[in-house]
Amino acid sequence: VFLSIEETSKFIKKNTNLGIILTCAPLIHSLICYKEYPLKKGLSLTLENTTSADTIAICQAINLVNPGGLGESKQYDTRTLPDIGLLEIMKYSSKYDRIAYQYTNMFKDVLDFVVPCLNSYQNRYKSLSLSLSLTFLDILRNIPDSHIQRKFGHKIAKKTSNQANDLLKILVTERINQDSFNKRLRELDYEYKKQGINPGTTADLLVAGLMIKKIFKDTWSWIMRSNLWLEIKAWGPINNTGDNNGSSW
């Protein structure tokens, strides 16, 4: 995590990907280092084997980019480089940070919500780009964005969730009018930017979900439908020739 942030900071002098790296790193580690185990078992081993050295490295990464709305903590301030286990500090932080919540809840938002949501929308509308937009809104309406909450408070975070919910209710039909959808989405995006509102945690969860979807490709839908995915071995990354819009991971 620290090395990734350090490399990024050589080119960009503000936080752009800390949340993405924090969310994706344990998943990647489990797939590489524990590929003989089912995904959640490998993830569990990754998290259980973290140490205070990992805590310090992650705190150094956070301090390097100084993400917006971080503030100060009386008990575990990242600037003090607390010498405690990573899961302990993540458990403490999970009360106000949804990325930390993933570490103490087996990444259930990503694995049990985001990935199935992506697959469901893509199966329905046959478009990855549309599925990404719809899933982003679905995450936002179900999980108030903790980045927004830290910067603007619970009331504004809840308001953005309600706006996403209202938009999905209007737009999600059997045949989405793409022009109407894009227009309304741009309008909402413009309002957020005008107010300085950035659903950054929502985006982080989406990226992690997309990564898992790409790694497991078409197998994930079958795994989720059969309710046997905990028994499936966590294959390493597979070759991917791209999706229906030509993009590839």
Side-chain angles (χ1 to χ4, degrees), residues 62-63 66-74 76-79 96 150-151:
I62 293 170
N63 295 339
N66 190 28
L70 183 63
E72 296 180 358
S73 172
K74 293 180 181 179
Y76 297 132
D77 196 298
T78 61
R79 297 168 186 82
Y96 56 85
R150 286 198 307 273
K151 290 189 71 175

Side-chain angles (χ1 to χ4, degrees), residues 1-235:
V1 171
F2 177 77
L3 292 176
S4 298
I5 294 299
E6 185 179 47
E7 189 67 22
T8 302
S9 67
K10 293 177 182 178
F11 305 96
I12 305 172
K13 301 304 180 183
K14 60 181 180 179
N15 179 33
T16 57
N17 60 357
L18 174 65
I20 291 172
I21 293 168
L22 283 172
T23 312
C24 291
L27 295 165
I28 294 169
H29 184 277
S30 65
L31 288 168
I32 293 173
C33 298
Y34 299 108
K35 59 185 177 182
E36 70 274 18
Y37 292 102
L39 176 57
K40 276 200 172 181
K41 176 61 177 177
L43 184 57
S44 176
L45 289 170
T46 287
L47 297 172
E48 289 170 5
N49 288 314
T50 55
T51 67
S52 59
D54 297 306
T55 303
I56 291 172
I58 285 178
C59 286
Q60 288 174 325
I62 293 170
N63 295 339
L64 186 61
V65 295
N66 190 28
L70 183 63
E72 296 180 358
S73 172
K74 293 180 181 179
Q75 188 169 353
Y76 297 132
D77 196 298
T78 61
R79 297 168 186 82
T80 66
L81 303 180
D83 186 19
I84 60 170
L86 182 62
L87 290 184
E88 184 178 347
I89 195 170
M90 288 300 183
K91 183 177 181 180
Y92 175 81
S93 304
S94 66
K95 294 177 287 187
Y96 56 85
D97 184 271
R98 200 69 182 189
I99 303 304
Y101 176 88
Q102 305 311 307
Y103 280 71
T104 56
N105 289 272
M106 289 302 297
F107 285 70
K108 70 176 185 179
D109 288 343
V110 175
L111 300 178
D112 299 343
F113 178 70
V114 178
V115 176
C117 195
L118 273 169
N119 280 319
S120 176
Y121 280 127
Q122 187 164 11
N123 288 338
R124 184 175 182 180
Y125 296 112
K126 312 303 179 187
S127 166
L128 180 59
S129 59
L130 180 58
S131 300
L132 288 168
S133 297
L134 291 170
T135 301
F136 182 90
L137 291 172
D138 223 332
I139 299 168
L140 187 57
R141 78 167 170 179
N142 284 284
I143 306 171
D145 193 281
S146 59
H147 178 70
I148 295 175
Q149 188 163 325
R150 286 198 307 273
K151 290 189 71 175
F152 298 99
H154 175 75
K155 186 176 179 180
I156 298 299
K158 184 62 178 174
K159 182 181 178 181
T160 59
S161 292
N162 291 338
Q163 288 172 323
N165 181 59
D166 293 343
L167 190 55
L168 280 173
K169 281 183 176 180
I170 294 169
L171 297 176
V172 176
T173 59
E174 284 305 314
R175 293 181 63 85
I176 286 181
N177 184 312
Q178 189 79 52
D179 291 336
S180 175
F181 176 82
N182 290 337
K183 180 176 181 294
R184 288 179 178 271
L185 201 59
R186 283 195 299 268
E187 289 171 352
L188 184 61
D189 183 60
Y190 173 77
E191 287 301 317
Y192 284 168
K193 287 178 178 176
K194 189 168 67 173
Q195 300 171 53
I197 294 173
N198 172 23
T201 303
T202 302
D204 299 335
L205 296 174
L206 179 62
V207 169
L210 178 61
M211 179 188 74
I212 291 296
K213 174 178 168 59
K214 288 289 189 176
I215 289 171
F216 285 87
K217 208 178 179 183
D218 296 330
T219 58
W220 193 266
S221 294
W222 175 83
I223 292 168
M224 296 305 294
R225 283 199 305 272
S226 66
N227 202 31
L228 293 173
W229 74 281
L230 284 177
E231 304 302 323
I232 302 299
K233 297 299 182 182
W235 310 283

